[in-house]
Amino acid sequence: MRGLINYGTHCSINSVVQCLYGTHELRGLIRDIDEQEYRAPKKNTVAAMLKGLICEMDKNNHGSCDPSFLIDSMSAYSGLSFEVQEDSDLVFKCILNALTDDDGPAEKVGQLWDIKMEKRIRCLRCNVVKSTLDKLNTIPVFIEDNLPAELQEYIKQYSDNTLTMCDYHCAHCHTRTQIEITSKVLSLPPVVCMWIARVKNVGRDTVSLVKIDKRLAFPETLDLKYIMKEPEAAADALYELYAVIAHCGSHYSGHYSAYVRGDDTWYLADDTQVRLCSWDTVKSTYEAGSNFYDGVAYMLMYRRRDSSN
């Protein structure tokens, strides 16, 4: 692995890129992108710049790579300057959205994380159910006090989670009532991103964001059949952890780094610095330590386990 240069506020981008580089499925597809097709003015060039950076990272060179061309293309696409540090989940979605807005091989790369969902809305007065189909590229994990502090247990209870809302006008019974919303996964992609919701608004009239450092333990192997609509038919629901994005500091001032798994080895990628680490080091991101620089997990990347294993 090779490091990435940080120009001051780009540690979240560098961490996401390291996770994408560790996604073998992406590296296989992105080579089919023809960079010559992106020379037209005002063309979305994120796919071409991402391919160029990943190809540069593939070279047998010990020097750090420069992600500035990718960052410039992301800025042109999203309208964000990235002169302030953005959250890692925003960076991840910016890159995926840019890829899926493209066509051909780039779109296939962006669809690697697509999760197909069925949302059911039930009126609590007339019991009429309305179903809609949604598509997500991350699975949110909430860490409230009443929820499990272990990811596999959280996933087991996920299938029973419902959300009740009020002030809803039912088109069937023509009354303002409450509704019950349940979501089920119809199909899972080759790779899954779990986004840990560690930011909470504690303000009443104004936005006051705080970071939640509550412990959340995550396993190397995760069974996702519990979130499926038909769990008994989910033969390929075992996923293996291959990347973690961690954050240290407060919500307003901090630093991102990435842990990426090779064949049998974990690496810590911290901007230009890349070094070997252990699974015990990765597990230290379950919760924030006493040191300001102890990172806590924000995003988890899992890939579908090979059935032959």
Side-chain angles (χ1 to χ4, degrees), residues 109-159:
V109 175
Q111 291 173 345
L112 279 175
W113 282 266
D114 279 357
I115 303 165
K116 295 180 180 178
M117 307 277 296
E118 180 188 62
K119 182 184 293 183
R120 295 170 61 86
I121 302 174
R122 181 172 70 91
C123 173
L124 297 185
R125 180 178 292 271
C126 65
N127 285 323
V128 168
V129 176
K130 177 183 177 181
S131 296
T132 59
L133 296 180
D134 289 333
K135 189 161 55 176
L136 303 176
N137 47 32
T138 60
I139 296 178
V141 179
F142 300 100
I143 50 175
E144 303 293 340
D145 291 337
N146 60 328
L147 296 176
E150 198 279 324
L151 182 59
Q152 185 63 80
E153 189 62 31
Y154 177 92
I155 292 297
K156 287 181 179 180
Q157 296 187 21
Y158 180 95
S159 58

Side-chain angles (χ1 to χ4, degrees), residues 259-278:
Y259 298 84
V260 183
R261 186 176 184 174
D263 292 334
D264 295 305
T265 308
W266 281 95
Y267 296 87
L268 169 58
D270 187 354
D271 290 331
T272 57
Q273 304 297 316
V274 178
R275 63 178 183 269
L276 290 169
C277 68
S278 66

Side-chain angles (χ1 to χ4, degrees), residues 20-21 55 94 111 116 131 159 161 168 194 202 256 280:
L20 296 181
Y21 181 77
C55 289
C94 174
Q111 291 173 345
K116 295 180 180 178
S131 296
S159 58
N161 286 349
Y168 174 79
M194 315 290 293
V202 295
Y256 285 96
D280 286 338

Side-chain angles (χ1 to χ4, degrees), residues 5-113:
I5 299 171
N6 182 358
Y7 289 96
T9 57
H10 300 150
C11 58
S12 59
I13 299 175
N14 289 347
S15 298
V16 170
V17 169
Q18 292 286 11
C19 292
L20 296 181
Y21 181 77
T23 306
H24 302 154
E25 297 82 355
L26 178 145
R27 288 163 64 186
L29 287 173
I30 207 165
R31 290 182 174 86
D32 295 332
I33 293 174
D34 185 358
E35 296 170 81
Q36 299 296 325
E37 297 179 359
Y38 294 87
R39 298 191 180 278
K42 298 184 180 180
K43 176 75 173 179
N44 167 18
T45 61
V46 173
M49 296 300 103
L50 180 62
K51 176 187 177 179
L53 180 56
I54 286 181
C55 289
E56 180 65 26
M57 295 169 72
D58 260 340
K59 293 179 180 178
N60 188 17
N61 188 316
H62 295 294
S64 297
C65 298
D66 187 349
S68 59
F69 292 104
L70 172 63
I71 296 171
D72 290 343
S73 67
M74 292 168 57
S75 180
Y77 170 78
S78 65
L80 298 172
S81 67
F82 296 105
E83 292 179 357
V84 296
Q85 180 180 280
E86 299 291 352
D87 288 343
S88 58
D89 62 304
L90 183 147
V91 171
F92 177 65
K93 290 180 179 179
C94 174
I95 294 176
L96 289 196
N97 289 341
L99 294 174
T100 52
D101 279 352
D102 211 314
D103 50 22
E107 185 179 19
K108 293 180 181 178
V109 175
Q111 291 173 345
L112 279 175
W113 282 266

Side-chain angles (χ1 to χ4, degrees), residues 162-183:
T162 58
L163 174 64
T164 303
M165 299 177 61
C166 59
D167 294 332
Y168 174 79
H169 186 271
C170 178
H172 184 265
C173 63
H174 302 289
T175 56
R176 185 169 293 277
T177 180
Q178 291 185 325
I179 56 174
E180 180 185 78
I181 301 176
T182 57
S183 297

